[in-house]
């Protein structure tokens, strides 16, 4: 047995202190295979060692939550014996190294997290962050990631119904690809991963194991440097057609009574799935790697255990019932093998070629993974931005046109038109609005789905930024008429060993916790992605939030598009004219300092509950929550979505017009109605501020004695991304 040197330990991502803990647990020096197992299980990606102290503070329960964090995905009750199962997860480092396969396997992995619990996937979402459009790699990365998401999702037949895409120089060397899947299951047929029953069979199904993705989890737990291209072999290779077979085979098998436990093989592959199942069930495992279906000859035990080959599952089946599972897998042309059995030893014993290749204690390894209370410093508050003459635009609608054509504000149609949004035939609202809406087949119920985050807010004030990310999805869900149920969080940050970065993580989690508590909007699943840095340059703190909501009648949902001319346009919520960290200030005035808009969660809840009741009573014909760009941008988006113009009065009052037009105050909605006086009365009675702005109609957007045609707005909004992506270097 070769000697484990400090250099080998460091190459496996373990600190000296962590390796000493390994020695204490083992009572001896591990062999290379055993060291590899510790490496992946104790990686940041798998163990959450820098974040779990803070993740434990998040609210995770509610009467409608069936299963919170700790399983493959979160589960919430949506009534009538049905449950929605959902999660968002990152595939950032792999997507930078190999954008097509990195993004594709990110989609495949999150799909498996959902259907391994017994749910049929019904919708995908994503949250993407790229570097500056001027960076030489950005166009290539956008093209590859979008093609990878579309290629996998389209082939497997699950609609991609929305998401978000942003550009910032902080992502130049480390893009973010966060994928979300929502599935539907019966509440009495949900599957969990805890392995129980000594003597039960451990069964491998799906694709064969190859050498792709070895040490993917470890790679995802370190910073990038100039040698990142050399990490290409750590990126997995996906096959959506096999995944489609795996979905159907698993759901068919789940209709029988043979499965005791099931776990997909994601990060750390066979190692993680076996250890997690055994640890949760308090059992041991004996496994024979000679029985694992192999794609390549001559693979070692180390390679088998650490490979992250895709489209694979591990399950526990009672003895004598293996033939049922085997028949179903063979029907779907998938590999099937009994690779081991559960024991009462509490140990993981790995055999190959008649020899013991690894003998590890399960609970000490799984439960003793490091938990760090890393030093952190609070981000200092920034002073308010003073309003000077050079901040005020000469022409408001020309400035609006400029904003709509910006890389971060232009239409994302070029992206989402490459995704199949309509497959399965249940998509009620497509991308481009506040939230997607999916009809639940054979019912009138609808699921609303949204993702959101404003990283520039989180950089300026992590606590307010964390609150805002949650509140924004709550408004997105509310704006289509759904009741927000729960969130999944995907926390993307730089190196947590730097106190200022750790402070960003702590602050955003504190903000998320506060918002989830006040809004009764629990966190039921999630993912943490740290060390998103290249050559010391950290990404913006990006706590992406995915959310779902329920409506009893999807036919009542409203979109951002005006429905007819001659309707009243109302603004619900108070406008104070907050310009700090606004798109206007950053992009037009080139001022990047100042605090983000404060989030008053009690007002958020009051205003949102009011809007939802108005939609439920069929009093609103359109609704759009206000966020990036403020009032004028929101109006323009509604005008462009409907091809119906609008005339807006100047009712800014004592607020400077630039603040009124472009401020990004929270808890606000633009709505249209044929019953303006009734809406105003309802809002006033519920202590919700409301203001009549004008009327729908014509082919122009008119504001403050200025006018611009819808055609001009659409040309500005729609042209940047297609032109950017068709430029030939």
């Amino acid at each position: 047995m070769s000697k484990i040197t400090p250099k080998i330990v460091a190459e496996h991502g373990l600190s000296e202190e962590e390796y000493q803990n390994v020695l204490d647990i083992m009572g001896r020096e591990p062999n290379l295979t055993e060291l590899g197992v510790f490496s992946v299980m104790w990686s940041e990606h798998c163990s959450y060692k820098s974040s779990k102290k803070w993740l434990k503070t998040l609210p995770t329960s509610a009467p409608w939550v069936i299963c919170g964090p700790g399983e493959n995905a979160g589960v919430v009750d949506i009534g009538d014996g049905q449950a929605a199962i959902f999660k968002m997860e990152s595939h950032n480092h792999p997507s930078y190294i190999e954008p097509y396969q990195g993004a594709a396997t990110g989609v495949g992995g999150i799909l498996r997290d959902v259907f391994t619990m017994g749910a049929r996937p019904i919708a995908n979402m994503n949250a993407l962050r790229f570097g500056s459009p001027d960076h030489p790699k950005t166009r290539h990365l956008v093209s590859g990631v979008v093609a990878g998401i579309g290629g996998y999702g389209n082939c497997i037949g699950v609609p991609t119904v929305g998401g978000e895409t942003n550009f910032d120089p902080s992502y130049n060397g480390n893009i973010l690809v966060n994928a979300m899947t929502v599935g539907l299951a019966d509440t009495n047929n949900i599957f969990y991963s805890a392995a129980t029953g000594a003597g039960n069979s451990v069964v491998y199904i799906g694709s064969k194991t190859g050498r792709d993705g070895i040490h993917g989890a470890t790679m995802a737990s370190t910073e990038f440097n100039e040698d990142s291209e050399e990490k290409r072999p750590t990126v997995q290779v996906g096959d959506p057609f096999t995944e489609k077979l795996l979905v159907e085979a698993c759901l068919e098998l789940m209709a029988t009574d043979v499965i005791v436990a099931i776990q997909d093989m994601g990060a750390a592959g066979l190692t993680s799935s076996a250890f997690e199942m055994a640890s949760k069930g308090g059992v041991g495992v004996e496994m024979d790697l000679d029985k694992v279906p192999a794609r390549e000859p001559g693979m070692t035990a180390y390679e088998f255990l650490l490979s992250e080959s895709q489209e694979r599952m591990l399950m526990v089946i009672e003895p004598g019932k293996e033939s049922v599972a085997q028949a179903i897998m063979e029907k779907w042309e998938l590999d099937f093998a009994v690779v081991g059995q559960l024991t009462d030893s509490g140990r993981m014993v790995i055999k190959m070629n008649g020899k013991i290749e690894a003998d590890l204690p399960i609970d000490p390894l799984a439960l003793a993974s490091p938990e760090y209370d890393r030093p952190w410093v609070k981000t200092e508050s920034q002073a308010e931005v003073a309003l000077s003459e050079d901040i005020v635009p000469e022409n408001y609608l020309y400035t609006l046109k400029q904003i709509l054509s910006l890389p971060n504000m232009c239409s994302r149609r070029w992206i989402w038109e490459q995704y199949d949004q309509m497959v399965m035939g249940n998509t009620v609202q497509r991308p481009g609005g506040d939230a997607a809406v999916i009809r639940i087949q054979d019912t009138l119920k609808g699921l609303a789905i949204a993702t959101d985050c404003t990283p520039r807010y989180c950089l300026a004030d992590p606590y307010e930024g964390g609150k805002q990310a949650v509140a924004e999805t709550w408004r997105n869900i509310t704006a289509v008429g759904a009741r927000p149920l729960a969130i999944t969080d995907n926390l993307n940050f730089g190196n947590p060993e730097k106190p200022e970065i750790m402070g960003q993580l702590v602050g955003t989690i504190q903000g998320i916790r506060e918002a989830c508590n006040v809004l009764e909007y629990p966190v039921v699943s999630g993912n943490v992605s740290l060390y998103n840095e290249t050559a010391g340059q950290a990404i913006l703190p990006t706590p992406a939030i995915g959310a779902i909501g329920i409506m009893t009648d999807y036919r009542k949902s409203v979109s951002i598009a005006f429905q007819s001319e001659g309707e009243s346009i109302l603004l619900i919520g108070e406008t104070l004219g907050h310009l700090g960290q606004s798109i206007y200030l950053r992009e037009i005035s080139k001022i990047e300092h100042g605090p983000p808009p404060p989030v008053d969660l009690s007002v958020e809840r009051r205003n949102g509950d009011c809007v939802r009741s108005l939609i439920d009573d069929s009093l609103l014909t359109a609704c759009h929550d206000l966020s990036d760009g403020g009032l004028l941008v929101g109006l323009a988006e509604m005008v462009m979505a409907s091809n119906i113009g609008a005339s807006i009065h100047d009712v800014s009052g004592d607020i400077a017009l630039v603040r009124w037009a472009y401020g990004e105050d929270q808890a606000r909605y633009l709505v249209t109605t044929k019953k303006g006086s009734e809406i105003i009365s309802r809002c006033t009675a519920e202590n919700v501020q409301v203001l009549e702005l004008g009327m729908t109609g014509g082919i122009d957007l008119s504001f403050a004695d200025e006018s611009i045609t819808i055609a001009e707005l659409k040309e500005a909004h729609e042209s940047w991304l297609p032109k950017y992506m068709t430029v030939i270097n």
Side-chain angles (χ1 to χ4, degrees):
M1 183 178 70
S2 61
K3 174 75 174 173
I4 301 297
T5 65
K7 182 173 183 288
I8 292 173
V9 171
E11 287 172 348
H12 282 73
L14 295 171
S15 68
E16 291 182 16
E17 182 182 353
E18 288 168 349
Y19 184 61
Q20 184 57 54
N21 198 9
V22 170
L23 295 176
D24 293 342
I25 287 172
M26 294 290 289
R28 59 174 171 82
E29 183 179 274
N31 62 34
L32 188 62
T33 299
E34 292 166 337
L35 182 69
V37 171
F38 273 97
S39 169
V40 293
M41 291 298 291
W42 287 7
S43 68
E44 191 74 62
H45 190 76
C46 292
S47 74
Y48 297 90
K49 56 190 175 186
S50 296
S51 58
K52 57 187 172 185
K53 166 185 166 65
W54 298 98
L55 296 177
K56 292 174 184 177
T57 67
L58 292 171
T60 60
S61 61
W64 53 89
V65 173
I66 295 173
C67 177
E71 275 293 337
N72 290 291
V75 186
V76 295
D77 193 325
I78 58 170
D80 307 311
Q82 293 179 307
I85 299 181
F86 70 108
K87 187 182 181 183
M88 183 189 283
E89 198 162 63
S90 61
H91 228 221
N92 302 335
H93 286 45
S95 298
Y96 181 80
I97 298 167
E98 181 55 64
Y100 185 94
Q101 289 296 349
T105 53
V107 173
I110 197 64
L111 283 162
R112 286 194 301 281
D113 278 339
V114 167
F115 74 75
T116 195
M117 296 195 70
R120 177 172 291 281
I122 60 171
N124 288 334
M125 299 278 278
N126 53 75
L128 312 177
R129 300 295 190 296
F130 298 101
S132 168
D134 298 331
H135 191 273
K137 289 198 72 169
T138 298
R139 189 179 289 106
H140 161 71
L141 291 168
V142 173
S143 177
V145 166
V146 170
I149 291 170
Y152 208 99
N154 295 354
C155 288
I156 203 170
V158 176
T160 301
V161 294
E164 52 175 343
T165 303
N166 291 110
F167 300 87
D168 188 88
S170 72
Y171 306 109
N172 281 347
N174 199 129
I175 65 173
L176 303 184
V177 175
N178 297 170
M180 176 179 172
T181 293
V182 181
L184 191 65
D186 293 334
T187 54
N188 63 357
N189 203 38
I190 294 168
F191 290 80
Y192 299 97
S193 58
T196 56
N200 283 345
S201 296
V202 177
V203 173
Y204 172 114
I205 64 169
S207 290
K208 291 179 170 61
T209 296
R211 289 186 170 94
D212 56 316
I214 292 174
H215 269 301
T218 307
M219 178 270 290
S221 305
T222 57
E223 293 182 32
F224 274 168
N225 54 38
E226 61 275 8
D227 300 323
S228 61
E229 287 296 322
E230 296 177 8
K231 297 180 178 179
R232 193 177 302 273
T234 64
V235 179
Q236 309 91 337
V237 177
D239 178 358
F241 299 105
T242 299
E243 180 111 334
K244 174 61 174 172
L245 299 178
L246 192 59
V247 172
E248 300 304 331
C250 284
L251 292 178
E252 183 175 337
L253 184 58
M254 288 165 170
T256 71
D257 64 349
V258 306
I259 298 175
V260 175
I262 184 168
Q263 174 79 36
D264 77 293
M265 294 191 218
L270 194 56
T271 292
S272 180
S273 56
F275 263 93
E276 287 178 12
M277 293 176 78
S279 180
K280 287 176 183 176
V283 294
V285 177
E286 284 190 5
M287 193 179 304
D288 186 348
L289 297 181
D290 292 325
K291 296 179 180 178
V292 174
R295 192 165 67 228
E296 302 177 53
M299 289 183 66
T300 65
Y302 184 98
E303 291 170 328
F304 270 115
L305 289 175
L306 271 61
S307 167
E308 294 184 11
S309 293
Q310 297 291 284
E311 294 87 38
R312 302 179 302 157
M313 312 282 277
L314 202 64
M315 60 178 65
V316 175
I317 293 177
E318 293 178 9
K321 295 183 178 180
E322 299 93 342
S323 60
V324 177
Q326 184 171 2
I328 291 173
M329 295 306 136
E330 289 177 352
K331 167 188 169 182
W332 291 99
E333 300 180 345
L334 295 167
D335 278 287
F336 172 94
V338 178
V339 297
Q341 65 178 13
L342 300 185
T343 68
D344 57 7
S345 69
R347 300 186 71 83
M348 178 76 69
V349 179
I350 304 296
K351 298 177 181 177
M352 189 174 178
N353 298 324
K355 297 190 303 182
I356 293 178
E357 293 285 347
D359 186 351
L360 298 156
I362 289 173
D363 273 353
L365 190 156
L367 301 180
S369 63
E371 178 177 333
Y372 294 129
D373 184 5
R374 295 197 184 277
W376 60 279
V377 295
K378 184 178 179 181
T379 301
E380 291 297 321
S381 299
Q382 299 186 28
E384 292 286 351
V385 178
L387 187 62
S388 58
E389 286 188 11
D390 58 351
I391 290 179
V392 179
E394 293 183 12
N395 183 296
Y396 281 85
L397 296 186
Y398 174 77
T399 301
L400 172 64
K401 188 174 161 182
Q402 282 182 285
I403 290 174
L404 292 175
S405 67
L406 292 167
N408 279 327
M409 297 298 290
C410 70
S411 170
R412 302 297 189 252
R413 183 183 299 275
W414 182 90
I415 294 174
W416 59 257
E417 283 190 342
Q418 297 186 53
Y419 307 148
D420 191 335
Q421 315 114 42
M422 303 304 291
V423 65
M424 301 178 90
N426 292 318
T427 306
V428 177
Q429 287 202 34
R430 301 167 70 184
D434 289 325
V437 178
I438 298 291
R439 173 178 66 99
I440 297 175
Q441 205 159 335
D442 302 322
T443 77
L444 290 178
K445 291 186 297 188
L447 270 181
I449 313 166
T451 63
D452 228 303
C453 178
T454 312
R456 65 183 187 276
Y457 290 179
C458 298
L459 180 67
D461 187 330
Y463 176 69
E464 287 295 332
K467 284 164 59 180
Q468 193 274 339
V470 173
E472 173 73 3
T473 64
W474 198 82
R475 286 199 302 274
N476 292 155
I477 297 293
T478 293
V480 297
R483 177 172 64 88
L485 288 175
I487 69 167
T488 178
D489 57 355
N490 202 154
L491 309 178
N492 307 272
F493 291 82
N495 184 346
E497 296 168 48
K498 298 177 179 178
E500 66 275 14
I501 300 296
M502 193 64 207
Q504 293 172 356
L505 176 62
V506 172
T508 54
I509 290 176
Q510 290 173 334
I512 290 169
R513 178 182 66 210
E514 178 71 10
C516 289
N517 277 326
V518 175
L519 299 175
E520 290 188 277
Y521 197 33
V523 183
V524 297
S525 60
N527 173 241
V528 179
S529 175
L530 303 179
Y531 295 95
N532 288 291
E533 294 197 15
T534 298
Q537 172 62 51
I539 63 164
L540 292 177
T542 312
I545 304 295
I548 69 165
I550 187 72
M551 59 186 69
T552 56
D553 188 344
Y554 70 86
R555 297 171 301 180
K556 290 184 176 181
S557 69
V558 297
S559 74
I560 71 171
F562 297 153
Q563 295 302 301
S564 62
E565 299 196 359
E567 295 190 9
S568 297
I569 302 171
L570 307 179
L571 173 62
I572 293 178
E574 185 178 15
T575 298
L576 299 172
H578 185 97
L579 278 180
Q581 297 299 324
S582 66
I583 289 290
Y584 176 83
L585 211 61
R586 172 177 287 254
E587 301 287 354
I588 303 302
S589 299
K590 307 302 179 186
I591 297 173
E592 296 192 8
H593 63 265
V599 180
D600 186 324
L601 293 165
S602 63
V603 175
E604 285 282 2
R605 180 153 189 179
R606 183 167 66 244
N607 292 3
D609 289 347
C610 177
V611 167
R612 202 177 312 110
S613 71
L614 295 172
I615 295 173
D616 195 50
D617 290 342
S618 301
L619 293 172
L620 303 184
T621 54
C623 182
H624 189 14
D625 88 293
L626 294 186
S627 54
D628 282 350
L631 177 64
L632 268 190
V633 169
L635 278 166
E637 288 169 341
M638 298 179 85
V639 163
M640 291 186 292
S642 58
N643 281 317
I644 297 173
S647 299
I648 305 301
H649 317 307
D650 178 2
V651 287
S652 54
D654 295 333
I655 300 171
L657 191 58
V658 64
R659 291 187 179 276
W660 192 76
Y662 293 116
E664 296 182 7
D665 302 295
Q666 301 293 290
R668 297 187 301 161
Y669 302 81
L670 276 173
V671 304
T672 57
T673 181
K674 295 177 181 177
K675 301 179 178 179
S677 58
E678 185 175 347
I679 301 299
I680 291 171
S681 297
R682 283 268 295 260
C683 289
T684 302
E686 295 179 30
N687 195 28
V688 170
Q689 293 216 18
V690 60
L691 192 64
E692 187 163 9
L693 300 184
M695 301 287 286
T696 64
I699 59 170
D700 302 325
L701 173 59
S702 300
F703 172 80
D705 299 322
E706 299 174 15
S707 186
I708 191 170
T709 66
I710 301 172
E712 280 186 84
L713 291 174
K714 292 183 81 168
E715 168 62 23
H717 191 52
E718 298 278 355
S719 61
W720 184 84
L721 192 52
K723 286 180 180 177
Y724 175 72
M725 293 307 299
T726 54
V727 169
I728 299 174
N729 290 324

